[in-house]
Amino acid sequence: MIQASRAWARRVAPYPVRVAVARLRHLPARLLQWPATARRRDPELDAPFVLARRVSPLVRTVAAGAPAWPSAEEAANVRAAAARVDGLVIAPHQVMSFLWTVGWPARWRGFRPGLELHDARPTLAIGGGTCKVSNLVYQLALAGGMRVIERHRHALDLFPDRDRTAPFALGATVAYNHADLRFANPLAAPVTLRLTVRDGELVGELRTARDPGWRVEVVEHDHRFVREPDGWWRENRIRRRIVRVDGTLLCDQEIAHNRARVMYDPALVLPAPTEATCSAA
Amino acid sequence: MLRGLIKGAGLATVGRLPGGVAAYRALTRGALGTGVGHIVKQARVWPGYVRLWRDACGLDLDDAPVWLHEPGPAPLPALAAYLVTGRAAIITGAEAVRSRYLARSVDAVLAADLPGATAARRDVVDGLRWDDDATAAIARLGGAVHAGVAAATIPLADARVALAHSGGALEHLSPATLARFLGEVARVVLPGGVASHVIDHRDHLWHADKSLPFMAHLALPDAAYRALLGGALTFHNRLSSTEVVAAFVAAGLEPIAVRRLLLPEHRWVETDADALAGEPGLARARLAPRFRGWSEADLRTAATHVLCRRPATR
């Protein structure tokens, strides 16, 4: 009944109206999350140990002959968002909220129109492209041993994996204010997020004062393309193992079950896709 | 004084509103993180409790099933029980354990000097800091969480646990409910097992405002107390240490030790004579008539830790 009502509202109400309702509905919960959210920024914090490091090219050619993505406008949004995240200190058991840290992507706050997906359709919207930063922060959180509390996966797989090193869907989409990326620092020491743009690359690091004594492995399982009546879908599962340096297993958990509609021809990825399930592993 | 009165007025009002208690807890323990205070306190007191159970009560804690009533929103006591016994505690109470306190509880319990905490058990607890669900984590360690439980009807089988413990919970039960709860304790604890309950006699507004006398609530007659502070967030049964111990005995439990907390030194003593060294909670002249018969020892007892044994045969 509820699902039918939501489907009906989705058909009838225009996208901006639905977004406005969603923002209003999420506002009380977001305000209640504020007290536990990290707000202090200290780029000079003494944190020499790198828990995780990820580098992402700022501009990527998604397919041979296709235009570069993101555009210069979107790259400016990436710079604006990264500047707001850089130096954030997350105290023990505090929560990092991407939305509270980056804030409302308004033009007067330095954000520009960029590509966003509305109703699975590409649209120009202020702040479009900041997902590149949230993707990187999510990967840092996973690899740095943070506890992810809220993460929304992308609903569409837009491009084939050209020059991509991370597993499929290892990212997080954000939408002010109803889709946030939040993670807690489960360690007894503060960690700091460093994000910089240099030489055409977005470089992210999660740092802390000293080695916590464990290592993190993020692995992909069950990656596959599936042909369904409404088209091709792609899915995988992400597991994380945290192992102490002496070999003691501390934690082994499934982090995510990703599933997204494929927006390109899987033949670009798979030499000979069949009607049945194909494994790309 | 003003701070305590404002807090009292706020709690009394909210506690009488429909859904007020749940909303208050969601705001304070859920959003504002006030359960951190519980964690700090529990990490401080648990090593002492364990030594008492082991040394004063002669309890063999290894693999002993433990039941904790109303331990608050933090999972620390359940984890502490795992470190000490090898299995997490069974938790009952009105309130659910909140997962936001899991990693902090892990840090605090690993830092506490708990007897019996082996390296293997510490590793298991250490790994829980990445867990999303505290209730599921407790279940994996052999414990259970029963939330929304009334004190008078505990959903545990007869002779199920070797140790029943609560801290700062029983003073909120009416005398009749307390009697029923202690009957449940006598039923659930194994013959020869131990009941260990800490009852805080202090006016709980004193915890927020130390300028109040710590037994300020004894100044009000029953009718006025019920009218002003009888709501769910403020009710205190105002039983003396002697009355509480009598309730345990009436339930068929045999006292092993009765410890009294004295202020201002926060020192525990075991005899009435020693209790006279404590500061009185309220001048006798200011007590409501019902409390004027309290002994000097009771008037100076801020909290009572009752350690009882269920007789081997009843």
mmCIF file with all atom_site columns, all heavy atoms in Angstrom, chain A residues 8 30 40 45 56 69 74 81 98 124 147 153 191 195 228 233 241 244 250 257 274:
data_model
loop_
_atom_site.group_PDB
_atom_site.id
_atom_site.type_symbol
_atom_site.label_atom_id
_atom_site.label_alt_id
_atom_site.label_comp_id
_atom_site.label_asym_id
_atom_site.label_entity_id
_atom_site.label_seq_id
_atom_site.pdbx_PDB_ins_code
_atom_site.Cartn_x
_atom_site.Cartn_y
_atom_site.Cartn_z
_atom_site.occupancy
_atom_site.B_iso_or_equiv
_atom_site.pdbx_formal_charge
_atom_site.auth_seq_id
_atom_site.auth_comp_id
_atom_site.auth_asym_id
_atom_site.auth_atom_id
_atom_site.pdbx_PDB_model_num
ATOM 1   N N   . TRP A 1 8   ? 2.813  6.162   -6.929  1.00 0.00 ? 8   TRP A N   1
ATOM 2   C CA  . TRP A 1 8   ? 1.848  7.114   -7.493  1.00 0.00 ? 8   TRP A CA  1
ATOM 3   C C   . TRP A 1 8   ? 2.368  8.550   -7.336  1.00 0.00 ? 8   TRP A C   1
ATOM 4   O O   . TRP A 1 8   ? 2.327  9.354   -8.272  1.00 0.00 ? 8   TRP A O   1
ATOM 5   C CB  . TRP A 1 8   ? 0.508  6.944   -6.771  1.00 0.00 ? 8   TRP A CB  1
ATOM 6   C CG  . TRP A 1 8   ? -0.543 7.901   -7.239  1.00 0.00 ? 8   TRP A CG  1
ATOM 7   C CD1 . TRP A 1 8   ? -1.311 7.803   -8.367  1.00 0.00 ? 8   TRP A CD1 1
ATOM 8   C CD2 . TRP A 1 8   ? -0.909 9.129   -6.601  1.00 0.00 ? 8   TRP A CD2 1
ATOM 9   N NE1 . TRP A 1 8   ? -2.136 8.888   -8.464  1.00 0.00 ? 8   TRP A NE1 1
ATOM 10  C CE2 . TRP A 1 8   ? -1.919 9.717   -7.390  1.00 0.00 ? 8   TRP A CE2 1
ATOM 11  C CE3 . TRP A 1 8   ? -0.495 9.781   -5.438  1.00 0.00 ? 8   TRP A CE3 1
ATOM 12  C CZ2 . TRP A 1 8   ? -2.512 10.931  -7.057  1.00 0.00 ? 8   TRP A CZ2 1
ATOM 13  C CZ3 . TRP A 1 8   ? -1.088 10.981  -5.103  1.00 0.00 ? 8   TRP A CZ3 1
ATOM 14  C CH2 . TRP A 1 8   ? -2.083 11.550  -5.907  1.00 0.00 ? 8   TRP A CH2 1
ATOM 15  N N   . ARG A 1 30  ? 18.232 15.353  10.713  1.00 0.00 ? 30  ARG A N   1
ATOM 16  C CA  . ARG A 1 30  ? 19.554 15.938  10.452  1.00 0.00 ? 30  ARG A CA  1
ATOM 17  C C   . ARG A 1 30  ? 19.955 16.884  11.571  1.00 0.00 ? 30  ARG A C   1
ATOM 18  O O   . ARG A 1 30  ? 21.128 16.940  11.975  1.00 0.00 ? 30  ARG A O   1
ATOM 19  C CB  . ARG A 1 30  ? 19.557 16.688  9.118   1.00 0.00 ? 30  ARG A CB  1
ATOM 20  C CG  . ARG A 1 30  ? 19.335 15.801  7.908   1.00 0.00 ? 30  ARG A CG  1
ATOM 21  C CD  . ARG A 1 30  ? 20.452 14.805  7.709   1.00 0.00 ? 30  ARG A CD  1
ATOM 22  N NE  . ARG A 1 30  ? 20.215 13.949  6.563   1.00 0.00 ? 30  ARG A NE  1
ATOM 23  C CZ  . ARG A 1 30  ? 20.602 12.681  6.485   1.00 0.00 ? 30  ARG A CZ  1
ATOM 24  N NH1 . ARG A 1 30  ? 21.236 12.118  7.502   1.00 0.00 ? 30  ARG A NH1 1
ATOM 25  N NH2 . ARG A 1 30  ? 20.375 11.969  5.412   1.00 0.00 ? 30  ARG A NH2 1
ATOM 26  N N   . ARG A 1 40  ? 35.342 20.469  14.073  1.00 0.00 ? 40  ARG A N   1
ATOM 27  C CA  . ARG A 1 40  ? 36.631 21.158  14.226  1.00 0.00 ? 40  ARG A CA  1
ATOM 28  C C   . ARG A 1 40  ? 37.531 20.867  13.031  1.00 0.00 ? 40  ARG A C   1
ATOM 29  O O   . ARG A 1 40  ? 37.638 19.722  12.601  1.00 0.00 ? 40  ARG A O   1
ATOM 30  C CB  . ARG A 1 40  ? 37.323 20.683  15.506  1.00 0.00 ? 40  ARG A CB  1
ATOM 31  C CG  . ARG A 1 40  ? 38.598 21.430  15.829  1.00 0.00 ? 40  ARG A CG  1
ATOM 32  C CD  . ARG A 1 40  ? 39.019 21.148  17.257  1.00 0.00 ? 40  ARG A CD  1
ATOM 33  N NE  . ARG A 1 40  ? 39.634 19.850  17.428  1.00 0.00 ? 40  ARG A NE  1
ATOM 34  C CZ  . ARG A 1 40  ? 40.942 19.602  17.310  1.00 0.00 ? 40  ARG A CZ  1
ATOM 35  N NH1 . ARG A 1 40  ? 41.764 20.578  17.019  1.00 0.00 ? 40  ARG A NH1 1
ATOM 36  N NH2 . ARG A 1 40  ? 41.412 18.391  17.498  1.00 0.00 ? 40  ARG A NH2 1
ATOM 37  N N   . LEU A 1 45  ? 47.073 19.561  12.570  1.00 0.00 ? 45  LEU A N   1
ATOM 38  C CA  . LEU A 1 45  ? 47.062 18.500  13.587  1.00 0.00 ? 45  LEU A CA  1
ATOM 39  C C   . LEU A 1 45  ? 48.186 17.501  13.323  1.00 0.00 ? 45  LEU A C   1
ATOM 40  O O   . LEU A 1 45  ? 48.388 17.075  12.184  1.00 0.00 ? 45  LEU A O   1
ATOM 41  C CB  . LEU A 1 45  ? 45.716 17.774  13.558  1.00 0.00 ? 45  LEU A CB  1
ATOM 42  C CG  . LEU A 1 45  ? 45.533 16.698  14.640  1.00 0.00 ? 45  LEU A CG  1
ATOM 43  C CD1 . LEU A 1 45  ? 45.194 17.348  15.971  1.00 0.00 ? 45  LEU A CD1 1
ATOM 44  C CD2 . LEU A 1 45  ? 44.437 15.722  14.253  1.00 0.00 ? 45  LEU A CD2 1
ATOM 45  N N   . SER A 1 56  ? 42.401 10.036  -6.969  1.00 0.00 ? 56  SER A N   1
ATOM 46  C CA  . SER A 1 56  ? 41.427 9.908   -8.048  1.00 0.00 ? 56  SER A CA  1
ATOM 47  C C   . SER A 1 56  ? 41.698 11.011  -9.069  1.00 0.00 ? 56  SER A C   1
ATOM 48  O O   . SER A 1 56  ? 41.807 12.182  -8.702  1.00 0.00 ? 56  SER A O   1
ATOM 49  C CB  . SER A 1 56  ? 40.020 10.066  -7.470  1.00 0.00 ? 56  SER A CB  1
ATOM 50  O OG  . SER A 1 56  ? 39.064 10.020  -8.489  1.00 0.00 ? 56  SER A OG  1
ATOM 51  N N   . TRP A 1 69  ? 35.028 13.788  -18.420 1.00 0.00 ? 69  TRP A N   1
ATOM 52  C CA  . TRP A 1 69  ? 34.112 14.014  -17.314 1.00 0.00 ? 69  TRP A CA  1
ATOM 53  C C   . TRP A 1 69  ? 34.936 14.003  -16.025 1.00 0.00 ? 69  TRP A C   1
ATOM 54  O O   . TRP A 1 69  ? 35.824 13.204  -15.885 1.00 0.00 ? 69  TRP A O   1
ATOM 55  C CB  . TRP A 1 69  ? 33.061 12.918  -17.263 1.00 0.00 ? 69  TRP A CB  1
ATOM 56  C CG  . TRP A 1 69  ? 32.034 13.158  -16.215 1.00 0.00 ? 69  TRP A CG  1
ATOM 57  C CD1 . TRP A 1 69  ? 30.877 13.859  -16.317 1.00 0.00 ? 69  TRP A CD1 1
ATOM 58  C CD2 . TRP A 1 69  ? 32.089 12.689  -14.865 1.00 0.00 ? 69  TRP A CD2 1
ATOM 59  N NE1 . TRP A 1 69  ? 30.219 13.880  -15.137 1.00 0.00 ? 69  TRP A NE1 1
ATOM 60  C CE2 . TRP A 1 69  ? 30.935 13.172  -14.213 1.00 0.00 ? 69  TRP A CE2 1
ATOM 61  C CE3 . TRP A 1 69  ? 33.019 11.945  -14.122 1.00 0.00 ? 69  TRP A CE3 1
ATOM 62  C CZ2 . TRP A 1 69  ? 30.685 12.913  -12.869 1.00 0.00 ? 69  TRP A CZ2 1
ATOM 63  C CZ3 . TRP A 1 69  ? 32.760 11.692  -12.787 1.00 0.00 ? 69  TRP A CZ3 1
ATOM 64  C CH2 . TRP A 1 69  ? 31.592 12.175  -12.177 1.00 0.00 ? 69  TRP A CH2 1
ATOM 65  N N   . GLU A 1 74  ? 32.253 21.214  -12.934 1.00 0.00 ? 74  GLU A N   1
ATOM 66  C CA  . GLU A 1 74  ? 32.176 20.168  -11.915 1.00 0.00 ? 74  GLU A CA  1
ATOM 67  C C   . GLU A 1 74  ? 33.490 20.049  -11.162 1.00 0.00 ? 74  GLU A C   1
ATOM 68  O O   . GLU A 1 74  ? 33.501 19.808  -9.945  1.00 0.00 ? 74  GLU A O   1
ATOM 69  C CB  . GLU A 1 74  ? 31.790 18.836  -12.554 1.00 0.00 ? 74  GLU A CB  1
ATOM 70  C CG  . GLU A 1 74  ? 30.334 18.821  -13.007 1.00 0.00 ? 74  GLU A CG  1
ATOM 71  C CD  . GLU A 1 74  ? 30.102 17.926  -14.203 1.00 0.00 ? 74  GLU A CD  1
ATOM 72  O OE1 . GLU A 1 74  ? 31.033 17.210  -14.592 1.00 0.00 ? 74  GLU A OE1 1
ATOM 73  O OE2 . GLU A 1 74  ? 28.998 17.979  -14.767 1.00 0.00 ? 74  GLU A OE2 1
ATOM 74  N N   . ALA A 1 81  ? 34.171 21.486  -2.541  1.00 0.00 ? 81  ALA A N   1
ATOM 75  C CA  . ALA A 1 81  ? 33.792 20.502  -1.521  1.00 0.00 ? 81  ALA A CA  1
ATOM 76  C C   . ALA A 1 81  ? 35.031 19.981  -0.792  1.00 0.00 ? 81  ALA A C   1
ATOM 77  O O   . ALA A 1 81  ? 35.036 19.853  0.441   1.00 0.00 ? 81  ALA A O   1
ATOM 78  C CB  . ALA A 1 81  ? 33.029 19.352  -2.168  1.00 0.00 ? 81  ALA A CB  1
ATOM 79  N N   . PHE A 1 98  ? 29.046 14.241  5.753   1.00 0.00 ? 98  PHE A N   1
ATOM 80  C CA  . PHE A 1 98  ? 29.433 14.976  4.549   1.00 0.00 ? 98  PHE A CA  1
ATOM 81  C C   . PHE A 1 98  ? 28.561 16.220  4.380   1.00 0.00 ? 98  PHE A C   1
ATOM 82  O O   . PHE A 1 98  ? 29.049 17.298  4.035   1.00 0.00 ? 98  PHE A O   1
ATOM 83  C CB  . PHE A 1 98  ? 29.302 14.055  3.323   1.00 0.00 ? 98  PHE A CB  1
ATOM 84  C CG  . PHE A 1 98  ? 29.927 14.607  2.081   1.00 0.00 ? 98  PHE A CG  1
ATOM 85  C CD1 . PHE A 1 98  ? 31.276 14.417  1.827   1.00 0.00 ? 98  PHE A CD1 1
ATOM 86  C CD2 . PHE A 1 98  ? 29.189 15.338  1.168   1.00 0.00 ? 98  PHE A CD2 1
ATOM 87  C CE1 . PHE A 1 98  ? 31.867 14.931  0.680   1.00 0.00 ? 98  PHE A CE1 1
ATOM 88  C CE2 . PHE A 1 98  ? 29.770 15.862  0.024   1.00 0.00 ? 98  PHE A CE2 1
ATOM 89  C CZ  . PHE A 1 98  ? 31.110 15.655  -0.214  1.00 0.00 ? 98  PHE A CZ  1
ATOM 90  N N   . LEU A 1 124 ? 21.530 19.485  -15.165 1.00 0.00 ? 124 LEU A N   1
ATOM 91  C CA  . LEU A 1 124 ? 22.475 20.436  -14.578 1.00 0.00 ? 124 LEU A CA  1
ATOM 92  C C   . LEU A 1 124 ? 21.898 20.961  -13.269 1.00 0.00 ? 124 LEU A C   1
ATOM 93  O O   . LEU A 1 124 ? 20.753 21.417  -13.239 1.00 0.00 ? 124 LEU A O   1
ATOM 94  C CB  . LEU A 1 124 ? 22.717 21.603  -15.537 1.00 0.00 ? 124 LEU A CB  1
ATOM 95  C CG  . LEU A 1 124 ? 23.746 21.376  -16.638 1.00 0.00 ? 124 LEU A CG  1
ATOM 96  C CD1 . LEU A 1 124 ? 23.923 22.639  -17.454 1.00 0.00 ? 124 LEU A CD1 1
ATOM 97  C CD2 . LEU A 1 124 ? 25.086 20.938  -16.054 1.00 0.00 ? 124 LEU A CD2 1
ATOM 98  N N   . ARG A 1 147 ? 33.677 3.306   10.824  1.00 0.00 ? 147 ARG A N   1
ATOM 99  C CA  . ARG A 1 147 ? 32.403 2.571   10.840  1.00 0.00 ? 147 ARG A CA  1
ATOM 100 C C   . ARG A 1 147 ? 31.367 3.405   10.085  1.00 0.00 ? 147 ARG A C   1
ATOM 101 O O   . ARG A 1 147 ? 30.962 4.463   10.568  1.00 0.00 ? 147 ARG A O   1
ATOM 102 C CB  . ARG A 1 147 ? 31.938 2.307   12.271  1.00 0.00 ? 147 ARG A CB  1
ATOM 103 C CG  . ARG A 1 147 ? 30.737 1.386   12.365  1.00 0.00 ? 147 ARG A CG  1
ATOM 104 C CD  . ARG A 1 147 ? 30.469 0.999   13.791  1.00 0.00 ? 147 ARG A CD  1
ATOM 105 N NE  . ARG A 1 147 ? 30.036 2.104   14.608  1.00 0.00 ? 147 ARG A NE  1
ATOM 106 C CZ  . ARG A 1 147 ? 28.787 2.567   14.648  1.00 0.00 ? 147 ARG A CZ  1
ATOM 107 N NH1 . ARG A 1 147 ? 27.859 2.002   13.919  1.00 0.00 ? 147 ARG A NH1 1
ATOM 108 N NH2 . ARG A 1 147 ? 28.473 3.578   15.429  1.00 0.00 ? 147 ARG A NH2 1
ATOM 109 N N   . ARG A 1 153 ? 24.114 4.289   -2.227  1.00 0.00 ? 153 ARG A N   1
ATOM 110 C CA  . ARG A 1 153 ? 24.851 3.930   -3.433  1.00 0.00 ? 153 ARG A CA  1
ATOM 111 C C   . ARG A 1 153 ? 24.215 4.625   -4.635  1.00 0.00 ? 153 ARG A C   1
ATOM 112 O O   . ARG A 1 153 ? 23.044 5.006   -4.612  1.00 0.00 ? 153 ARG A O   1
ATOM 113 C CB  . ARG A 1 153 ? 24.850 2.421   -3.629  1.00 0.00 ? 153 ARG A CB  1
ATOM 114 C CG  . ARG A 1 153 ? 23.487 1.810   -3.736  1.00 0.00 ? 153 ARG A CG  1
ATOM 115 C CD  . ARG A 1 153 ? 23.585 0.306   -3.883  1.00 0.00 ? 153 ARG A CD  1
ATOM 116 N NE  . ARG A 1 153 ? 22.320 -0.335  -3.630  1.00 0.00 ? 153 ARG A NE  1
ATOM 117 C CZ  . ARG A 1 153 ? 21.320 -0.377  -4.499  1.00 0.00 ? 153 ARG A CZ  1
ATOM 118 N NH1 . ARG A 1 153 ? 21.450 0.219   -5.666  1.00 0.00 ? 153 ARG A NH1 1
ATOM 119 N NH2 . ARG A 1 153 ? 20.202 -0.989  -4.213  1.00 0.00 ? 153 ARG A NH2 1
ATOM 120 N N   . VAL A 1 191 ? 41.100 11.163  14.280  1.00 0.00 ? 191 VAL A N   1
ATOM 121 C CA  . VAL A 1 191 ? 41.618 11.018  12.917  1.00 0.00 ? 191 VAL A CA  1
ATOM 122 C C   . VAL A 1 191 ? 41.311 12.318  12.178  1.00 0.00 ? 191 VAL A C   1
ATOM 123 O O   . VAL A 1 191 ? 40.402 13.056  12.546  1.00 0.00 ? 191 VAL A O   1
ATOM 124 C CB  . VAL A 1 191 ? 40.987 9.819   12.170  1.00 0.00 ? 191 VAL A CB  1
ATOM 125 C CG1 . VAL A 1 191 ? 41.297 8.521   12.862  1.00 0.00 ? 191 VAL A CG1 1
ATOM 126 C CG2 . VAL A 1 191 ? 39.490 9.990   12.012  1.00 0.00 ? 191 VAL A CG2 1
ATOM 127 N N   . LEU A 1 195 ? 42.196 16.397  2.191   1.00 0.00 ? 195 LEU A N   1
ATOM 128 C CA  . LEU A 1 195 ? 41.798 16.319  0.787   1.00 0.00 ? 195 LEU A CA  1
ATOM 129 C C   . LEU A 1 195 ? 42.411 17.491  0.046   1.00 0.00 ? 195 LEU A C   1
ATOM 130 O O   . LEU A 1 195 ? 42.199 18.646  0.430   1.00 0.00 ? 195 LEU A O   1
ATOM 131 C CB  . LEU A 1 195 ? 40.273 16.394  0.659   1.00 0.00 ? 195 LEU A CB  1
ATOM 132 C CG  . LEU A 1 195 ? 39.541 15.081  0.365   1.00 0.00 ? 195 LEU A CG  1
ATOM 133 C CD1 . LEU A 1 195 ? 39.700 14.113  1.501   1.00 0.00 ? 195 LEU A CD1 1
ATOM 134 C CD2 . LEU A 1 195 ? 38.074 15.340  0.106   1.00 0.00 ? 195 LEU A CD2 1
ATOM 135 N N   . GLU A 1 228 ? 18.023 -8.601  -17.065 1.00 0.00 ? 228 GLU A N   1
ATOM 136 C CA  . GLU A 1 228 ? 16.660 -8.725  -16.538 1.00 0.00 ? 228 GLU A CA  1
ATOM 137 C C   . GLU A 1 228 ? 15.702 -8.135  -17.557 1.00 0.00 ? 228 GLU A C   1
ATOM 138 O O   . GLU A 1 228 ? 16.138 -7.460  -18.504 1.00 0.00 ? 228 GLU A O   1
ATOM 139 C CB  . GLU A 1 228 ? 16.577 -8.029  -15.170 1.00 0.00 ? 228 GLU A CB  1
ATOM 140 C CG  . GLU A 1 228 ? 17.423 -8.759  -14.131 1.00 0.00 ? 228 GLU A CG  1
ATOM 141 C CD  . GLU A 1 228 ? 17.232 -8.265  -12.713 1.00 0.00 ? 228 GLU A CD  1
ATOM 142 O OE1 . GLU A 1 228 ? 16.467 -7.307  -12.515 1.00 0.00 ? 228 GLU A OE1 1
ATOM 143 O OE2 . GLU A 1 228 ? 17.863 -8.847  -11.826 1.00 0.00 ? 228 GLU A OE2 1
ATOM 144 N N   . TRP A 1 233 ? 21.663 -5.168  -15.391 1.00 0.00 ? 233 TRP A N   1
ATOM 145 C CA  . TRP A 1 233 ? 21.974 -4.721  -14.034 1.00 0.00 ? 233 TRP A CA  1
ATOM 146 C C   . TRP A 1 233 ? 23.351 -5.249  -13.668 1.00 0.00 ? 233 TRP A C   1
ATOM 147 O O   . TRP A 1 233 ? 23.785 -6.283  -14.170 1.00 0.00 ? 233 TRP A O   1
ATOM 148 C CB  . TRP A 1 233 ? 20.937 -5.217  -13.021 1.00 0.00 ? 233 TRP A CB  1
ATOM 149 C CG  . TRP A 1 233 ? 19.601 -4.559  -13.185 1.00 0.00 ? 233 TRP A CG  1
ATOM 150 C CD1 . TRP A 1 233 ? 18.675 -4.813  -14.159 1.00 0.00 ? 233 TRP A CD1 1
ATOM 151 C CD2 . TRP A 1 233 ? 19.068 -3.524  -12.380 1.00 0.00 ? 233 TRP A CD2 1
ATOM 152 N NE1 . TRP A 1 233 ? 17.590 -4.001  -14.011 1.00 0.00 ? 233 TRP A NE1 1
ATOM 153 C CE2 . TRP A 1 233 ? 17.787 -3.194  -12.917 1.00 0.00 ? 233 TRP A CE2 1
ATOM 154 C CE3 . TRP A 1 233 ? 19.513 -2.834  -11.254 1.00 0.00 ? 233 TRP A CE3 1
ATOM 155 C CZ2 . TRP A 1 233 ? 16.977 -2.215  -12.364 1.00 0.00 ? 233 TRP A CZ2 1
ATOM 156 C CZ3 . TRP A 1 233 ? 18.695 -1.870  -10.691 1.00 0.00 ? 233 TRP A CZ3 1
ATOM 157 C CH2 . TRP A 1 233 ? 17.452 -1.552  -11.258 1.00 0.00 ? 233 TRP A CH2 1
ATOM 158 N N   . ARG A 1 241 ? 37.730 -6.904  5.945   1.00 0.00 ? 241 ARG A N   1
ATOM 159 C CA  . ARG A 1 241 ? 38.381 -7.676  7.017   1.00 0.00 ? 241 ARG A CA  1
ATOM 160 C C   . ARG A 1 241 ? 39.377 -6.764  7.708   1.00 0.00 ? 241 ARG A C   1
ATOM 161 O O   . ARG A 1 241 ? 40.152 -6.061  7.051   1.00 0.00 ? 241 ARG A O   1
ATOM 162 C CB  . ARG A 1 241 ? 39.138 -8.881  6.437   1.00 0.00 ? 241 ARG A CB  1
ATOM 163 C CG  . ARG A 1 241 ? 38.251 -10.033 5.997   1.00 0.00 ? 241 ARG A CG  1
ATOM 164 C CD  . ARG A 1 241 ? 39.001 -10.994 5.104   1.00 0.00 ? 241 ARG A CD  1
ATOM 165 N NE  . ARG A 1 241 ? 40.271 -11.426 5.669   1.00 0.00 ? 241 ARG A NE  1
ATOM 166 C CZ  . ARG A 1 241 ? 40.416 -12.466 6.492   1.00 0.00 ? 241 ARG A CZ  1
ATOM 167 N NH1 . ARG A 1 241 ? 39.373 -13.183 6.829   1.00 0.00 ? 241 ARG A NH1 1
ATOM 168 N NH2 . ARG A 1 241 ? 41.595 -12.798 6.954   1.00 0.00 ? 241 ARG A NH2 1
ATOM 169 N N   . ARG A 1 244 ? 44.687 -7.717  12.857  1.00 0.00 ? 244 ARG A N   1
ATOM 170 C CA  . ARG A 1 244 ? 45.797 -7.159  13.643  1.00 0.00 ? 244 ARG A CA  1
ATOM 171 C C   . ARG A 1 244 ? 47.122 -7.588  13.011  1.00 0.00 ? 244 ARG A C   1
ATOM 172 O O   . ARG A 1 244 ? 47.170 -8.611  12.327  1.00 0.00 ? 244 ARG A O   1
ATOM 173 C CB  . ARG A 1 244 ? 45.700 -7.654  15.086  1.00 0.00 ? 244 ARG A CB  1
ATOM 174 C CG  . ARG A 1 244 ? 46.519 -6.872  16.050  1.00 0.00 ? 244 ARG A CG  1
ATOM 175 C CD  . ARG A 1 244 ? 46.201 -7.249  17.472  1.00 0.00 ? 244 ARG A CD  1
ATOM 176 N NE  . ARG A 1 244 ? 45.018 -6.559  17.953  1.00 0.00 ? 244 ARG A NE  1
ATOM 177 C CZ  . ARG A 1 244 ? 44.283 -6.965  18.983  1.00 0.00 ? 244 ARG A CZ  1
ATOM 178 N NH1 . ARG A 1 244 ? 44.593 -8.069  19.618  1.00 0.00 ? 244 ARG A NH1 1
ATOM 179 N NH2 . ARG A 1 244 ? 43.247 -6.276  19.385  1.00 0.00 ? 244 ARG A NH2 1
ATOM 180 N N   . LEU A 1 250 ? 40.109 -9.363  13.652  1.00 0.00 ? 250 LEU A N   1
ATOM 181 C CA  . LEU A 1 250 ? 39.272 -8.588  14.563  1.00 0.00 ? 250 LEU A CA  1
ATOM 182 C C   . LEU A 1 250 ? 37.852 -8.448  14.046  1.00 0.00 ? 250 LEU A C   1
ATOM 183 O O   . LEU A 1 250 ? 36.897 -8.384  14.820  1.00 0.00 ? 250 LEU A O   1
ATOM 184 C CB  . LEU A 1 250 ? 39.875 -7.188  14.769  1.00 0.00 ? 250 LEU A CB  1
ATOM 185 C CG  . LEU A 1 250 ? 41.195 -7.133  15.543  1.00 0.00 ? 250 LEU A CG  1
ATOM 186 C CD1 . LEU A 1 250 ? 41.739 -5.713  15.556  1.00 0.00 ? 250 LEU A CD1 1
ATOM 187 C CD2 . LEU A 1 250 ? 41.004 -7.630  16.972  1.00 0.00 ? 250 LEU A CD2 1
ATOM 188 N N   . HIS A 1 257 ? 25.985 -4.446  -0.354  1.00 0.00 ? 257 HIS A N   1
ATOM 189 C CA  . HIS A 1 257 ? 25.498 -5.235  -1.484  1.00 0.00 ? 257 HIS A CA  1
ATOM 190 C C   . HIS A 1 257 ? 25.027 -4.205  -2.502  1.00 0.00 ? 257 HIS A C   1
ATOM 191 O O   . HIS A 1 257 ? 24.009 -3.548  -2.303  1.00 0.00 ? 257 HIS A O   1
ATOM 192 C CB  . HIS A 1 257 ? 24.356 -6.159  -1.046  1.00 0.00 ? 257 HIS A CB  1
ATOM 193 C CG  . HIS A 1 257 ? 23.778 -6.931  -2.190  1.00 0.00 ? 257 HIS A CG  1
ATOM 194 N ND1 . HIS A 1 257 ? 22.551 -7.538  -2.134  1.00 0.00 ? 257 HIS A ND1 1
ATOM 195 C CD2 . HIS A 1 257 ? 24.269 -7.203  -3.426  1.00 0.00 ? 257 HIS A CD2 1
ATOM 196 C CE1 . HIS A 1 257 ? 22.300 -8.141  -3.288  1.00 0.00 ? 257 HIS A CE1 1
ATOM 197 N NE2 . HIS A 1 257 ? 23.327 -7.951  -4.083  1.00 0.00 ? 257 HIS A NE2 1
ATOM 198 N N   . THR A 1 274 ? 26.212 -12.851 -22.462 1.00 0.00 ? 274 THR A N   1
ATOM 199 C CA  . THR A 1 274 ? 25.142 -13.764 -22.877 1.00 0.00 ? 274 THR A CA  1
ATOM 200 C C   . THR A 1 274 ? 23.862 -13.335 -22.184 1.00 0.00 ? 274 THR A C   1
ATOM 201 O O   . THR A 1 274 ? 23.852 -12.434 -21.362 1.00 0.00 ? 274 THR A O   1
ATOM 202 C CB  . THR A 1 274 ? 25.492 -15.199 -22.459 1.00 0.00 ? 274 THR A CB  1
ATOM 203 O OG1 . THR A 1 274 ? 25.525 -15.233 -21.038 1.00 0.00 ? 274 THR A OG1 1
ATOM 204 C CG2 . THR A 1 274 ? 26.828 -15.617 -23.032 1.00 0.00 ? 274 THR A CG2 1
#
